[in-house]
Amino acid sequence: MSELPDDLRRILRESFAIRTTLRRKDGSPRTLETTYGWQDRPQIVLSGFPGQRDWVASLARHAEVTVHTVEGAPGFDIPGRARVLREREERMPHLIAFIERWAERPGFPRRRFGLLLGAVKCNRRLGLPWWGPFYLARRIFDAMPCVVIDFVGPPERRDGPPPAVTPPREHHDPA
């Protein structure tokens, strides 16, 4: 993968939302908008609130995706390959970086959250067990989705908006 264009690097650094087109279980396309983390390399990390997400299961089944910038100009579409991370030790650096990135958003309670995140990082650096309030933090980290999308091809400039977000399918009980 070649170097990312400067305008794409600026967008990835300044934006907080990205759209990803993936394949559902049946192979049909779905575009979702999520928050992401970026650490100045040709990959992003998708995560969010704790809990199961159908898009994570879809990415585990069909790894090929297209990432679309949402904010900034010009727009870019980037081919990618998703990796769903499941092991805590592999996930933690990505999730910590994601949360630190998320904390840059305007209105985020930086002081309170920064103290907690700093304590978790110190706890990990010292190799201490997940006890007391860290146990709750570990449960939250363990429940957060963590998907790394590696950029696998050159970004393409896009004229116009990114693809629209696909509404979720309704689940019907066969009654």
Side-chain angles (χ1 to χ4, degrees):
M1 165 94 221
S2 61
E3 187 68 24
L4 299 176
D6 288 340
D7 42 4
L8 175 57
R9 297 171 79 77
R10 177 187 44 77
I11 291 168
L12 291 172
R13 184 176 53 252
E14 295 174 359
S15 177
F16 289 97
I18 204 87
R19 290 191 186 163
T20 306
T21 299
L22 51 93
R23 298 279 169 208
R24 289 183 163 132
K25 187 176 187 176
D26 65 6
S28 65
R30 175 181 179 200
T31 299
L32 63 113
E33 187 168 302
T34 58
T35 56
Y36 69 96
W38 182 66
Q39 294 184 309
D40 201 25
R41 55 183 161 228
Q43 71 177 199
I44 59 171
V45 175
L46 305 182
S47 189
F49 289 105
Q52 288 189 330
R53 301 285 181 267
D54 59 347
W55 56 266
V56 174
S58 293
L59 290 170
R61 278 189 296 275
H62 304 283
E64 283 68 37
V65 301
T66 303
V67 173
H68 314 279
T69 59
V70 175
E71 302 168 314
F76 286 93
D77 300 321
I78 311 153
R81 183 167 295 115
R83 292 180 290 128
V84 177
L85 304 184
R86 304 217 186 267
E87 298 298 322
R88 181 182 301 136
E89 290 309 308
E90 185 180 19
R91 296 162 41 87
M92 285 301 291
H94 294 289
L95 292 175
I96 288 171
F98 173 85
I99 292 169
E100 287 176 330
R101 168 84 169 108
W102 183 251
E104 295 173 7
R105 289 185 62 164
F108 192 86
R110 284 179 191 80
R111 283 192 184 145
R112 280 183 287 151
F113 210 78
L115 182 63
L116 173 65
L117 192 57
V120 167
K121 287 167 52 177
C122 181
N123 189 59
R124 286 185 45 77
R125 199 170 31 254
L126 295 173
L128 298 174
W130 291 88
W131 53 269
F134 297 112
Y135 178 74
L136 176 60
R138 185 188 78 189
R139 289 190 56 184
I140 292 168
F141 278 113
D142 285 351
M144 289 175 69
C146 186
V147 178
V148 173
I149 297 180
D150 295 303
F151 299 161
V152 296
E156 295 182 22
R157 289 181 188 267
R158 181 187 67 245
D159 292 325
V165 172
T166 309
R169 291 187 177 162
E170 293 186 29
H171 298 284
H172 295 285
D173 291 328

